[in-house]
PDB file of all heavy atoms in Angstrom:
ATOM      1  N   LEU K   5      -5.901  -9.426  -8.665  1.00 94.00           N
ATOM      2  CA  LEU K   5      -4.890 -10.319  -8.097  1.00 94.00           C
ATOM      3  C   LEU K   5      -5.201 -11.774  -8.447  1.00 94.00           C
ATOM      4  O   LEU K   5      -6.277 -12.269  -8.142  1.00 94.00           O
ATOM      5  CB  LEU K   5      -4.831 -10.141  -6.573  1.00 94.00           C
ATOM      6  CG  LEU K   5      -4.522  -8.714  -6.086  1.00 94.00           C
ATOM      7  CD1 LEU K   5      -4.607  -8.656  -4.565  1.00 94.00           C
ATOM      8  CD2 LEU K   5      -3.161  -8.248  -6.573  1.00 94.00           C
ATOM      9  N   TYR K   6      -4.223 -12.433  -9.056  1.00 89.00           N
ATOM     10  CA  TYR K   6      -4.378 -13.842  -9.416  1.00 89.00           C
ATOM     11  C   TYR K   6      -3.572 -14.754  -8.483  1.00 89.00           C
ATOM     12  O   TYR K   6      -3.933 -15.908  -8.289  1.00 89.00           O
ATOM     13  CB  TYR K   6      -3.923 -14.076 -10.855  1.00 89.00           C
ATOM     14  CG  TYR K   6      -4.773 -13.362 -11.883  1.00 89.00           C
ATOM     15  CD1 TYR K   6      -4.380 -12.134 -12.405  1.00 89.00           C
ATOM     16  CD2 TYR K   6      -5.977 -13.907 -12.315  1.00 89.00           C
ATOM     17  CE1 TYR K   6      -5.159 -11.485 -13.347  1.00 89.00           C
ATOM     18  CE2 TYR K   6      -6.772 -13.256 -13.257  1.00 89.00           C
ATOM     19  CZ  TYR K   6      -6.352 -12.039 -13.769  1.00 89.00           C
ATOM     20  OH  TYR K   6      -7.138 -11.389 -14.691  1.00 89.00           O
ATOM     21  N   SER K   7      -2.479 -14.228  -7.939  1.00 90.00           N
ATOM     22  CA  SER K   7      -1.595 -15.071  -7.124  1.00 90.00           C
ATOM     23  C   SER K   7      -1.324 -14.476  -5.752  1.00 90.00           C
ATOM     24  O   SER K   7      -0.313 -14.778  -5.115  1.00 90.00           O
ATOM     25  CB  SER K   7      -0.265 -15.302  -7.859  1.00 90.00           C
ATOM     26  OG  SER K   7      -0.481 -15.913  -9.105  1.00 90.00           O
ATOM     27  N   SER K   8      -2.188 -13.606  -5.296  1.00 94.00           N
ATOM     28  CA  SER K   8      -2.062 -13.045  -3.949  1.00 94.00           C
ATOM     29  C   SER K   8      -3.419 -12.534  -3.503  1.00 94.00           C
ATOM     30  O   SER K   8      -4.372 -12.496  -4.287  1.00 94.00           O
ATOM     31  CB  SER K   8      -1.019 -11.920  -3.913  1.00 94.00           C
ATOM     32  OG  SER K   8      -1.414 -10.836  -4.709  1.00 94.00           O
ATOM     33  N   ILE K   9      -3.530 -12.159  -2.251  1.00 94.00           N
ATOM     34  CA  ILE K   9      -4.785 -11.662  -1.687  1.00 94.00           C
ATOM     35  C   ILE K   9      -4.531 -10.307  -1.029  1.00 94.00           C
ATOM     36  O   ILE K   9      -3.437 -10.056  -0.520  1.00 94.00           O
ATOM     37  CB  ILE K   9      -5.387 -12.667  -0.667  1.00 94.00           C
ATOM     38  CG1 ILE K   9      -4.310 -13.168   0.296  1.00 94.00           C
ATOM     39  CG2 ILE K   9      -6.025 -13.829  -1.393  1.00 94.00           C
ATOM     40  CD1 ILE K   9      -4.805 -14.213   1.275  1.00 94.00           C
ATOM     41  N   PRO K  10      -5.520  -9.412  -1.042  1.00 94.00           N
ATOM     42  CA  PRO K  10      -5.297  -8.010  -0.647  1.00 94.00           C
ATOM     43  C   PRO K  10      -5.204  -7.774   0.860  1.00 94.00           C
ATOM     44  O   PRO K  10      -6.025  -7.069   1.454  1.00 94.00           O
ATOM     45  CB  PRO K  10      -6.505  -7.291  -1.243  1.00 94.00           C
ATOM     46  CG  PRO K  10      -7.583  -8.312  -1.217  1.00 94.00           C
ATOM     47  CD  PRO K  10      -6.907  -9.622  -1.514  1.00 94.00           C
ATOM     48  N   TYR K  11      -4.183  -8.339   1.473  1.00 95.00           N
ATOM     49  CA  TYR K  11      -3.943  -8.129   2.904  1.00 95.00           C
ATOM     50  C   TYR K  11      -2.463  -7.857   3.145  1.00 95.00           C
ATOM     51  O   TYR K  11      -1.604  -8.385   2.433  1.00 95.00           O
ATOM     52  CB  TYR K  11      -4.371  -9.352   3.720  1.00 95.00           C
ATOM     53  CG  TYR K  11      -5.857  -9.591   3.749  1.00 95.00           C
ATOM     54  CD1 TYR K  11      -6.442 -10.563   2.928  1.00 95.00           C
ATOM     55  CD2 TYR K  11      -6.688  -8.853   4.590  1.00 95.00           C
ATOM     56  CE1 TYR K  11      -7.803 -10.791   2.938  1.00 95.00           C
ATOM     57  CE2 TYR K  11      -8.059  -9.072   4.612  1.00 95.00           C
ATOM     58  CZ  TYR K  11      -8.617 -10.034   3.786  1.00 95.00           C
ATOM     59  OH  TYR K  11      -9.968 -10.248   3.802  1.00 95.00           O
ATOM     60  N   LEU K  12      -2.198  -7.026   4.159  1.00 97.00           N
ATOM     61  CA  LEU K  12      -0.831  -6.746   4.599  1.00 97.00           C
ATOM     62  C   LEU K  12      -0.827  -6.598   6.109  1.00 97.00           C
ATOM     63  O   LEU K  12      -1.868  -6.333   6.726  1.00 97.00           O
ATOM     64  CB  LEU K  12      -0.314  -5.440   3.973  1.00 97.00           C
ATOM     65  CG  LEU K  12      -0.009  -5.421   2.465  1.00 97.00           C
ATOM     66  CD1 LEU K  12       0.245  -3.984   2.013  1.00 97.00           C
ATOM     67  CD2 LEU K  12       1.177  -6.313   2.135  1.00 97.00           C
ATOM     68  N   VAL K  13       0.350  -6.743   6.708  1.00 97.00           N
ATOM     69  CA  VAL K  13       0.457  -6.414   8.127  1.00 97.00           C
ATOM     70  C   VAL K  13       0.292  -4.898   8.247  1.00 97.00           C
ATOM     71  O   VAL K  13       0.575  -4.158   7.291  1.00 97.00           O
ATOM     72  CB  VAL K  13       1.827  -6.861   8.704  1.00 97.00           C
ATOM     73  CG1 VAL K  13       1.950  -8.376   8.673  1.00 97.00           C
ATOM     74  CG2 VAL K  13       2.990  -6.200   7.987  1.00 97.00           C
ATOM     75  N   PRO K  14      -0.190  -4.390   9.374  1.00 97.00           N
ATOM     76  CA  PRO K  14      -0.442  -2.946   9.512  1.00 97.00           C
ATOM     77  C   PRO K  14       0.762  -2.079   9.147  1.00 97.00           C
ATOM     78  O   PRO K  14       0.601  -1.030   8.513  1.00 97.00           O
ATOM     79  CB  PRO K  14      -0.814  -2.800  10.989  1.00 97.00           C
ATOM     80  CG  PRO K  14      -1.412  -4.127  11.351  1.00 97.00           C
ATOM     81  CD  PRO K  14      -0.633  -5.146  10.577  1.00 97.00           C
ATOM     82  N   ARG K  15       1.959  -2.510   9.522  1.00 97.00           N
ATOM     83  CA  ARG K  15       3.167  -1.727   9.245  1.00 97.00           C
ATOM     84  C   ARG K  15       3.369  -1.545   7.737  1.00 97.00           C
ATOM     85  O   ARG K  15       3.728  -0.457   7.271  1.00 97.00           O
ATOM     86  CB  ARG K  15       4.374  -2.435   9.864  1.00 97.00           C
ATOM     87  CG  ARG K  15       5.670  -1.632   9.862  1.00 97.00           C
ATOM     88  CD  ARG K  15       6.801  -2.466  10.479  1.00 97.00           C
ATOM     89  NE  ARG K  15       8.011  -1.693  10.648  1.00 97.00           N
ATOM     90  CZ  ARG K  15       8.306  -0.988  11.729  1.00 97.00           C
ATOM     91  NH1 ARG K  15       7.452  -0.961  12.751  1.00 97.00           N
ATOM     92  NH2 ARG K  15       9.444  -0.307  11.818  1.00 97.00           N
ATOM     93  N   ALA K  16       3.136  -2.604   6.974  1.00 98.00           N
ATOM     94  CA  ALA K  16       3.288  -2.526   5.519  1.00 98.00           C
ATOM     95  C   ALA K  16       2.152  -1.732   4.888  1.00 98.00           C
ATOM     96  O   ALA K  16       2.348  -1.021   3.893  1.00 98.00           O
ATOM     97  CB  ALA K  16       3.344  -3.931   4.930  1.00 98.00           C
ATOM     98  N   ALA K  17       0.941  -1.834   5.452  1.00 97.00           N
ATOM     99  CA  ALA K  17      -0.196  -1.072   4.939  1.00 97.00           C
ATOM    100  C   ALA K  17       0.040   0.430   5.095  1.00 97.00           C
ATOM    101  O   ALA K  17      -0.297   1.223   4.205  1.00 97.00           O
ATOM    102  CB  ALA K  17      -1.473  -1.486   5.661  1.00 97.00           C
ATOM    103  N   VAL K  18       0.633   0.832   6.201  1.00 98.00           N
ATOM    104  CA  VAL K  18       0.949   2.250   6.421  1.00 98.00           C
ATOM    105  C   VAL K  18       2.009   2.707   5.419  1.00 98.00           C
ATOM    106  O   VAL K  18       1.926   3.812   4.858  1.00 98.00           O
ATOM    107  CB  VAL K  18       1.435   2.479   7.868  1.00 98.00           C
ATOM    108  CG1 VAL K  18       1.981   3.891   8.033  1.00 98.00           C
ATOM    109  CG2 VAL K  18       0.304   2.235   8.854  1.00 98.00           C
ATOM    110  N   LEU K  19       3.007   1.865   5.178  1.00 98.00           N
ATOM    111  CA  LEU K  19       4.040   2.189   4.188  1.00 98.00           C
ATOM    112  C   LEU K  19       3.415   2.422   2.820  1.00 98.00           C
ATOM    113  O   LEU K  19       3.723   3.413   2.144  1.00 98.00           O
ATOM    114  CB  LEU K  19       5.063   1.057   4.109  1.00 98.00           C
ATOM    115  CG  LEU K  19       6.078   1.157   2.963  1.00 98.00           C
ATOM    116  CD1 LEU K  19       7.017   2.333   3.174  1.00 98.00           C
ATOM    117  CD2 LEU K  19       6.877  -0.145   2.828  1.00 98.00           C
ATOM    118  N   LEU K  20       2.545   1.528   2.390  1.00 98.00           N
ATOM    119  CA  LEU K  20       1.897   1.656   1.087  1.00 98.00           C
ATOM    120  C   LEU K  20       1.064   2.931   1.013  1.00 98.00           C
ATOM    121  O   LEU K  20       1.090   3.647   0.001  1.00 98.00           O
ATOM    122  CB  LEU K  20       1.023   0.433   0.825  1.00 98.00           C
ATOM    123  CG  LEU K  20       0.251   0.408  -0.499  1.00 98.00           C
ATOM    124  CD1 LEU K  20       1.186   0.579  -1.687  1.00 98.00           C
ATOM    125  CD2 LEU K  20      -0.557  -0.882  -0.609  1.00 98.00           C
ATOM    126  N   GLN K  21       0.347   3.238   2.068  1.00 97.00           N
ATOM    127  CA  GLN K  21      -0.445   4.473   2.129  1.00 97.00           C
ATOM    128  C   GLN K  21       0.459   5.696   1.988  1.00 97.00           C
ATOM    129  O   GLN K  21       0.158   6.631   1.235  1.00 97.00           O
ATOM    130  CB  GLN K  21      -1.203   4.537   3.453  1.00 97.00           C
ATOM    131  CG  GLN K  21      -1.897   5.858   3.747  1.00 97.00           C
ATOM    132  CD  GLN K  21      -3.243   5.984   3.087  1.00 97.00           C
ATOM    133  OE1 GLN K  21      -3.767   5.017   2.546  1.00 97.00           O
ATOM    134  NE2 GLN K  21      -3.802   7.179   3.119  1.00 97.00           N
ATOM    135  N   ASP K  22       1.571   5.700   2.695  1.00 98.00           N
ATOM    136  CA  ASP K  22       2.495   6.837   2.654  1.00 98.00           C
ATOM    137  C   ASP K  22       3.137   6.989   1.277  1.00 98.00           C
ATOM    138  O   ASP K  22       3.374   8.110   0.812  1.00 98.00           O
ATOM    139  CB  ASP K  22       3.573   6.674   3.723  1.00 98.00           C
ATOM    140  CG  ASP K  22       3.020   6.832   5.134  1.00 98.00           C
ATOM    141  OD1 ASP K  22       1.870   7.298   5.273  1.00 98.00           O
ATOM    142  OD2 ASP K  22       3.729   6.471   6.096  1.00 98.00           O
ATOM    143  N   ILE K  23       3.445   5.870   0.628  1.00 98.00           N
ATOM    144  CA  ILE K  23       4.010   5.930  -0.719  1.00 98.00           C
ATOM    145  C   ILE K  23       3.013   6.575  -1.675  1.00 98.00           C
ATOM    146  O   ILE K  23       3.358   7.468  -2.453  1.00 98.00           O
ATOM    147  CB  ILE K  23       4.397   4.517  -1.209  1.00 98.00           C
ATOM    148  CG1 ILE K  23       5.632   4.014  -0.450  1.00 98.00           C
ATOM    149  CG2 ILE K  23       4.671   4.520  -2.720  1.00 98.00           C
ATOM    150  CD1 ILE K  23       5.976   2.561  -0.725  1.00 98.00           C
ATOM    151  N   GLY K  24       1.763   6.115  -1.624  1.00 97.00           N
ATOM    152  CA  GLY K  24       0.742   6.669  -2.507  1.00 97.00           C
ATOM    153  C   GLY K  24       0.521   8.153  -2.280  1.00 97.00           C
ATOM    154  O   GLY K  24       0.401   8.936  -3.228  1.00 97.00           O
ATOM    155  N   GLN K  25       0.493   8.556  -1.019  1.00 97.00           N
ATOM    156  CA  GLN K  25       0.261   9.968  -0.700  1.00 97.00           C
ATOM    157  C   GLN K  25       1.452  10.829  -1.127  1.00 97.00           C
ATOM    158  O   GLN K  25       1.273  11.922  -1.681  1.00 97.00           O
ATOM    159  CB  GLN K  25      -0.005  10.126   0.796  1.00 97.00           C
ATOM    160  CG  GLN K  25      -0.513  11.500   1.182  1.00 97.00           C
ATOM    161  CD  GLN K  25      -1.084  11.530   2.593  1.00 97.00           C
ATOM    162  OE1 GLN K  25      -1.159  10.507   3.271  1.00 97.00           O
ATOM    163  NE2 GLN K  25      -1.488  12.697   3.029  1.00 97.00           N
ATOM    164  N   ALA K  26       2.677  10.330  -0.885  1.00 98.00           N
ATOM    165  CA  ALA K  26       3.876  11.076  -1.284  1.00 98.00           C
ATOM    166  C   ALA K  26       3.961  11.186  -2.812  1.00 98.00           C
ATOM    167  O   ALA K  26       4.412  12.203  -3.343  1.00 98.00           O
ATOM    168  CB  ALA K  26       5.119  10.390  -0.734  1.00 98.00           C
ATOM    169  N   PHE K  27       3.511  10.157  -3.510  1.00 98.00           N
ATOM    170  CA  PHE K  27       3.499  10.188  -4.970  1.00 98.00           C
ATOM    171  C   PHE K  27       2.533  11.265  -5.462  1.00 98.00           C
ATOM    172  O   PHE K  27       2.864  12.037  -6.369  1.00 98.00           O
ATOM    173  CB  PHE K  27       3.085   8.810  -5.495  1.00 98.00           C
ATOM    174  CG  PHE K  27       3.119   8.675  -6.994  1.00 98.00           C
ATOM    175  CD1 PHE K  27       4.298   8.839  -7.693  1.00 98.00           C
ATOM    176  CD2 PHE K  27       1.964   8.374  -7.699  1.00 98.00           C
ATOM    177  CE1 PHE K  27       4.336   8.711  -9.082  1.00 98.00           C
ATOM    178  CE2 PHE K  27       1.993   8.238  -9.083  1.00 98.00           C
ATOM    179  CZ  PHE K  27       3.180   8.410  -9.775  1.00 98.00           C
ATOM    180  N   PHE K  28       1.364  11.358  -4.860  1.00 97.00           N
ATOM    181  CA  PHE K  28       0.406  12.411  -5.202  1.00 97.00           C
ATOM    182  C   PHE K  28       1.032  13.790  -4.977  1.00 97.00           C
ATOM    183  O   PHE K  28       0.933  14.679  -5.819  1.00 97.00           O
ATOM    184  CB  PHE K  28      -0.851  12.277  -4.341  1.00 97.00           C
ATOM    185  CG  PHE K  28      -1.968  11.531  -5.002  1.00 97.00           C
ATOM    186  CD1 PHE K  28      -1.716  10.478  -5.871  1.00 97.00           C
ATOM    187  CD2 PHE K  28      -3.290  11.856  -4.746  1.00 97.00           C
ATOM    188  CE1 PHE K  28      -2.745   9.783  -6.476  1.00 97.00           C
ATOM    189  CE2 PHE K  28      -4.334  11.159  -5.356  1.00 97.00           C
ATOM    190  CZ  PHE K  28      -4.066  10.125  -6.221  1.00 97.00           C
ATOM    191  N   ASP K  29       1.641  13.974  -3.814  1.00 97.00           N
ATOM    192  CA  ASP K  29       2.248  15.264  -3.482  1.00 97.00           C
ATOM    193  C   ASP K  29       3.335  15.639  -4.491  1.00 97.00           C
ATOM    194  O   ASP K  29       3.437  16.793  -4.916  1.00 97.00           O
ATOM    195  CB  ASP K  29       2.848  15.229  -2.073  1.00 97.00           C
ATOM    196  CG  ASP K  29       1.785  15.119  -0.991  1.00 97.00           C
ATOM    197  OD1 ASP K  29       0.608  15.382  -1.295  1.00 97.00           O
ATOM    198  OD2 ASP K  29       2.133  14.755   0.150  1.00 97.00           O
ATOM    199  N   SER K  30       4.141  14.651  -4.860  1.00 97.00           N
ATOM    200  CA  SER K  30       5.234  14.906  -5.796  1.00 97.00           C
ATOM    201  C   SER K  30       4.709  15.262  -7.181  1.00 97.00           C
ATOM    202  O   SER K  30       5.230  16.168  -7.845  1.00 97.00           O
ATOM    203  CB  SER K  30       6.150  13.674  -5.877  1.00 97.00           C
ATOM    204  OG  SER K  30       7.322  13.967  -6.612  1.00 97.00           O
TER     205      SER K  30
END
């Protein structure tokens, strides 16, 4: 990351986790 830092609000972090897991499943 050059223009951002690796933090999200918990709600967005859960969304990202679910996207990654659903992508694996698919």
